[in-house]
Coordinates of all heavy atoms in Angstrom, one line a residue:
I153 N 0.7 -1.2 0.0 CA 0.1 0.0 0.0 C 0.8 1.2 0.1 O 0.7 2.2 -0.7 CB -1.0 0.0 1.2 CG1 -2.0 -1.0 1.0 CG2 -1.5 1.5 1.4 CD1 -3.1 -1.3 2.2
G154 N 2.0 1.2 0.8 CA 2.8 2.4 0.9 C 3.5 2.6 -0.5 O 3.6 3.8 -1.0
E155 N 4.0 1.6 -1.1 CA 4.6 1.7 -2.5 C 3.6 2.3 -3.5 O 4.0 3.0 -4.3 CB 5.3 0.4 -2.9 CG 6.3 -0.1 -2.0 CD 7.6 1.0 -2.3 OE1 7.9 1.6 -3.3 OE2 8.4 1.2 -1.2
M156 N 2.5 1.7 -3.4 CA 1.3 2.0 -4.5 C 1.1 3.6 -4.2 O 0.7 4.1 -5.3 CB 0.3 1.1 -4.5 CG 0.5 -0.3 -4.8 SD -0.7 -1.5 -4.6 CE -1.7 -1.2 -6.1
T157 N 0.9 4.0 -3.0 CA 0.4 5.3 -2.8 C 1.6 6.3 -3.2 O 1.2 7.3 -3.8 CB 0.3 5.5 -1.1 OG1 -0.7 4.6 -0.9 CG2 0.0 6.9 -0.9
L158 N 2.8 5.9 -3.1 CA 3.8 6.8 -3.6 C 3.9 6.8 -5.1 O 4.1 7.9 -5.6 CB 5.2 6.3 -3.1 CG 5.6 6.6 -1.8 CD1 6.8 5.8 -1.3 CD2 5.7 8.1 -1.4
A159 N 3.7 5.7 -5.6 CA 3.6 5.6 -7.2 C 2.5 6.4 -7.8 O 2.7 7.0 -8.8 CB 3.7 4.1 -7.7
L160 N 1.4 6.5 -7.0 CA 0.1 7.1 -7.6 C 0.0 8.6 -7.0 O -1.0 9.1 -7.1 CB -1.0 6.3 -7.2 CG -1.0 4.8 -8.0 CD1 -2.1 4.0 -7.3 CD2 -1.2 5.1 -9.5
K161 N 1.0 9.1 -6.4 CA 0.8 10.3 -5.6 C 0.3 11.6 -6.4 O -0.4 12.4 -6.1 CB 2.0 10.8 -4.8 CG 3.2 11.3 -5.7 CD 4.3 11.6 -4.7 CE 5.6 12.0 -5.6 NZ 6.6 12.4 -4.8
D162 N 0.7 11.7 -7.7 CA 0.4 12.7 -8.7 C -0.9 12.3 -9.6 O -1.1 12.9 -10.5 CB 1.6 13.2 -9.6 CG 2.6 13.7 -8.7 OD1 2.2 14.4 -7.7 OD2 3.8 13.5 -9.0
S163 N -1.6 11.3 -9.1 CA -2.7 10.8 -10.0 C -4.0 11.2 -9.2 O -3.9 11.4 -8.0 CB -2.6 9.3 -10.3 OG -2.9 8.6 -9.2
P164 N -5.1 10.9 -9.8 CA -6.5 11.1 -9.2 C -6.8 9.6 -8.3 O -7.8 9.7 -7.8 CB -7.4 11.2 -10.2 CG -6.8 10.5 -11.3 CD -5.3 10.7 -11.2
C165 N -5.8 8.8 -8.2 CA -6.2 7.5 -7.6 C -6.0 7.5 -6.1 O -5.1 8.2 -5.5 CB -5.3 6.4 -8.2 SG -5.5 6.2 -10.0
F166 N -6.8 6.6 -5.5 CA -6.7 6.4 -4.0 C -6.4 4.9 -3.8 O -7.0 4.1 -4.6 CB -8.1 6.7 -3.3 CG -8.5 8.2 -3.6 CD1 -9.4 8.6 -4.5 CD2 -8.2 9.1 -2.6 CE1 -9.9 9.6 -4.7 CE2 -8.7 10.4 -2.8 CZ -9.4 10.7 -3.8
V167 N -5.5 4.6 -2.8 CA -5.2 3.3 -2.4 C -5.8 3.0 -1.1 O -5.5 3.8 -0.2 CB -3.7 3.0 -2.4 CG1 -3.4 1.6 -2.1 CG2 -3.1 3.5 -3.8
F168 N -6.6 1.8 -1.0 CA -7.2 1.4 0.2 C -6.8 0.1 0.7 O -6.5 -0.6 -0.1 CB -8.8 1.5 0.1 CG -9.3 2.7 -0.4 CD1 -9.6 3.1 -1.6 CD2 -9.6 3.8 0.6 CE1 -10.1 4.5 -2.0 CE2 -10.2 5.0 0.4 CZ -10.5 5.2 -0.9
G169 N -6.9 -0.1 2.0 CA -6.6 -1.4 2.6 C -7.9 -2.2 2.7 O -8.9 -1.8 2.0
S170 N -7.8 -3.2 3.5 CA -8.9 -4.2 3.6 C -10.3 -4.0 4.2 O -11.2 -4.6 4.2 CB -8.5 -5.6 4.2 OG -8.2 -5.3 5.4
N171 N -10.3 -2.7 4.7 CA -11.6 -2.2 5.4 C -12.6 -1.6 4.4 O -13.6 -1.3 4.9 CB -11.4 -1.3 6.6 CG -10.9 -2.1 7.7 OD1 -11.3 -3.2 8.0 ND2 -9.8 -1.6 8.4
L172 N -12.1 -1.5 3.2 CA -13.0 -0.9 2.2 C -13.9 -2.0 1.6 O -13.3 -2.8 0.9 CB -12.3 -0.2 1.1 CG -13.2 0.4 0.0 CD1 -14.1 1.6 0.6 CD2 -12.4 1.1 -1.1
Q173 N -15.1 -2.0 1.7 CA -16.0 -3.0 1.1 C -16.3 -2.7 -0.4 O -16.5 -1.5 -0.8 CB -17.4 -3.0 1.9 CG -18.3 -4.1 1.3 CD -19.5 -4.2 2.2 OE1 -20.2 -3.2 2.3 NE2 -19.7 -5.3 2.9
V174 N -15.8 -3.6 -1.2 CA -16.1 -3.5 -2.8 C -17.3 -4.2 -3.2 O -17.3 -5.3 -2.9 CB -14.8 -3.9 -3.4 CG1 -14.9 -3.8 -4.8 CG2 -13.7 -3.0 -2.8
V175 N -18.0 -3.6 -3.9 CA -19.3 -4.1 -4.6 C -19.1 -4.3 -6.0 O -18.7 -3.4 -6.7 CB -20.5 -3.2 -4.2 CG1 -21.8 -3.9 -4.7 CG2 -20.5 -3.0 -2.7
F176 N -19.5 -5.4 -6.5 CA -19.5 -5.7 -7.9 C -21.1 -5.9 -8.3 O -21.5 -6.9 -7.8 CB -18.7 -7.0 -8.4 CG -17.3 -6.7 -8.1 CD1 -16.5 -7.2 -7.0 CD2 -16.5 -6.0 -9.1 CE1 -15.2 -7.1 -6.9 CE2 -15.2 -5.9 -8.9 CZ -14.5 -6.3 -7.6
L177 N -21.5 -5.1 -9.0 CA -23.0 -5.1 -9.5 C -23.1 -6.0 -10.7 O -22.7 -5.4 -11.7 CB -23.6 -3.8 -9.5 CG -23.6 -2.9 -8.2 CD1 -24.1 -1.6 -8.6 CD2 -24.4 -3.6 -7.1
F178 N -23.6 -7.1 -10.6 CA -23.9 -7.9 -11.9 C -25.0 -8.9 -11.7 O -25.4 -9.2 -10.6 CB -22.6 -8.6 -12.4 CG -22.2 -9.7 -11.5 CD1 -22.7 -11.1 -11.9 CD2 -21.5 -9.5 -10.4 CE1 -22.3 -12.0 -11.1 CE2 -21.1 -10.6 -9.5 CZ -21.6 -11.9 -9.9
Q179 N -25.5 -9.4 -12.8 CA -26.5 -10.4 -12.6 C -26.3 -11.4 -13.6 O -26.1 -11.1 -14.8 CB -27.9 -9.8 -12.8 CG -28.9 -10.9 -12.5 CD -30.2 -10.3 -12.0 OE1 -30.4 -9.2 -12.2 NE2 -31.2 -11.1 -11.4
D180 N -26.1 -12.7 -13.3 CA -26.0 -13.8 -14.3 C -27.2 -14.7 -14.2 O -27.0 -15.7 -13.3 CB -24.6 -14.5 -14.0 CG -24.3 -15.6 -15.1 OD1 -25.3 -16.2 -15.7 OD2 -23.2 -15.9 -15.2
E181 N -28.2 -14.4 -14.9 CA -29.5 -15.2 -14.8 C -29.2 -16.7 -15.1 O -29.9 -17.5 -14.4 CB -30.4 -14.6 -15.6 CG -30.9 -13.3 -15.1 CD -32.0 -12.6 -16.1 OE1 -32.5 -13.3 -16.9 OE2 -32.2 -11.4 -15.8
Q182 N -28.3 -17.0 -16.0 CA -28.1 -18.5 -16.5 C -27.4 -19.1 -15.2 O -27.8 -20.3 -15.0 CB -27.0 -18.5 -17.6 CG -27.0 -19.8 -18.2 CD -26.1 -19.7 -19.5 OE1 -25.3 -18.8 -19.7 NE2 -26.3 -20.6 -20.3
K183 N -26.6 -18.6 -14.5 CA -26.1 -19.2 -13.3 C -26.8 -18.9 -11.9 O -26.5 -19.5 -10.9 CB -24.6 -18.9 -13.3 CG -23.7 -19.4 -14.3 CD -22.3 -19.1 -13.9 CE -21.4 -19.7 -15.0 NZ -20.0 -19.3 -14.9
G184 N -27.7 -18.0 -12.0 CA -28.5 -17.6 -10.9 C -27.7 -16.8 -9.8 O -27.8 -16.9 -8.6
K185 N -26.7 -16.1 -10.2 CA -25.7 -15.4 -9.4 C -25.9 -13.9 -9.7 O -26.3 -13.5 -10.8 CB -24.2 -15.8 -9.7 CG -23.9 -17.2 -9.6 CD -22.5 -17.4 -9.9 CE -22.3 -19.1 -9.7 NZ -20.8 -19.3 -10.1
E186 N -25.7 -13.2 -8.6 CA -25.9 -11.7 -8.7 C -25.0 -11.0 -7.5 O -25.0 -11.7 -6.5 CB -27.2 -11.2 -8.7 CG -28.1 -11.5 -7.4 CD -29.4 -11.0 -7.6 OE1 -30.2 -11.3 -8.5 OE2 -29.8 -10.1 -6.7
N187 N -24.5 -9.8 -7.8 CA -23.9 -9.1 -6.9 C -22.9 -9.7 -5.8 O -23.5 -10.6 -5.2 CB -25.1 -8.2 -6.1 CG -25.9 -7.4 -7.0 OD1 -25.5 -6.9 -8.0 ND2 -27.1 -7.3 -6.7
V188 N -21.7 -9.3 -5.8 CA -20.7 -9.8 -4.9 C -20.1 -8.7 -4.1 O -19.9 -7.7 -4.9 CB -19.6 -10.6 -5.8 CG1 -18.4 -11.0 -4.8 CG2 -20.2 -11.8 -6.4
T189 N -19.9 -8.8 -2.9 CA -19.1 -7.9 -2.1 C -17.8 -8.5 -1.6 O -18.0 -9.6 -1.1 CB -20.0 -7.3 -1.0 OG1 -20.0 -8.1 0.1 CG2 -21.2 -6.5 -1.5
V190 N -16.7 -7.9 -1.5 CA -15.4 -8.5 -1.0 C -14.8 -7.3 -0.3 O -15.0 -6.1 -0.4 CB -14.5 -9.0 -2.1 CG1 -15.2 -10.2 -3.0 CG2 -14.3 -7.8 -3.2
L191 N -13.9 -7.9 0.5 CA -12.9 -7.1 1.4 C -11.5 -7.3 0.9 O -10.7 -8.0 1.6 CB -13.2 -7.2 2.8 CG -14.6 -6.9 3.4 CD1 -14.7 -7.6 4.8 CD2 -14.7 -5.5 3.5
P192 N -11.1 -6.8 -0.3 CA -9.7 -7.2 -0.8 C -8.7 -6.6 0.1 O -8.8 -5.5 0.7 CB -9.8 -6.6 -2.2 CG -10.7 -5.6 -2.2 CD -11.8 -5.9 -1.2
D193 N -7.5 -7.2 0.1 CA -6.3 -6.6 0.8 C -6.0 -5.3 0.3 O -5.7 -4.4 1.1 CB -5.1 -7.5 0.6 CG -5.3 -8.9 1.2 OD1 -5.9 -8.9 2.3 OD2 -4.9 -9.9 0.7
I194 N -6.1 -4.9 -1.0 CA -5.8 -3.7 -1.6 C -6.7 -3.3 -2.8 O -7.1 -4.1 -3.6 CB -4.3 -3.6 -2.3 CG1 -3.2 -4.0 -1.0 CG2 -4.0 -2.3 -2.8 CD1 -1.9 -4.1 -1.5
S195 N -7.3 -2.1 -2.7 CA -8.0 -1.5 -3.8 C -7.5 -0.3 -4.3 O -7.0 0.6 -3.5 CB -9.4 -1.4 -3.3 OG -10.1 -2.5 -2.7
V196 N -7.5 -0.1 -5.6 CA -7.1 1.2 -6.1 C -8.4 1.8 -6.9 O -9.0 1.0 -7.6 CB -5.9 1.1 -7.1 CG1 -5.6 2.4 -7.8 CG2 -4.7 0.5 -6.3
V197 N -8.7 3.0 -6.5 CA -9.9 3.6 -7.0 C -9.4 5.0 -7.7 O -8.9 5.9 -7.1 CB -11.0 3.8 -6.0 CG1 -12.2 4.5 -6.7 CG2 -11.4 2.5 -5.3

């Protein structure tokens, strides 16, 4: 996270740790699956 934050310091990006809940909105009617939320180790937004 430290290295990524330094590398992205002049960009509009934010680096987050595992407390940021990430939501993937999708629906796969064929498989009956929809919407997943995860707590990844690192997220870049």
Side-chain angles (χ1 to χ4, degrees):
I153 288 173
E155 292 296 324
M156 292 173 91
T157 300
L158 284 174
L160 296 169
K161 72 178 179 176
D162 294 325
S163 79
C165 300
F166 302 91
V167 182
F168 297 97
S170 64
N171 286 321
L172 180 66
Q173 189 176 54
V174 175
V175 180
F176 295 100
L177 301 173
F178 71 93
Q179 190 161 13
D180 184 339
E181 291 178 15
Q182 192 173 21
K183 293 183 179 180
K185 298 177 183 178
E186 62 178 59
N187 305 327
V188 171
T189 68
V190 294
L191 296 164
D193 293 321
I194 301 171
S195 302
V196 176
V197 181

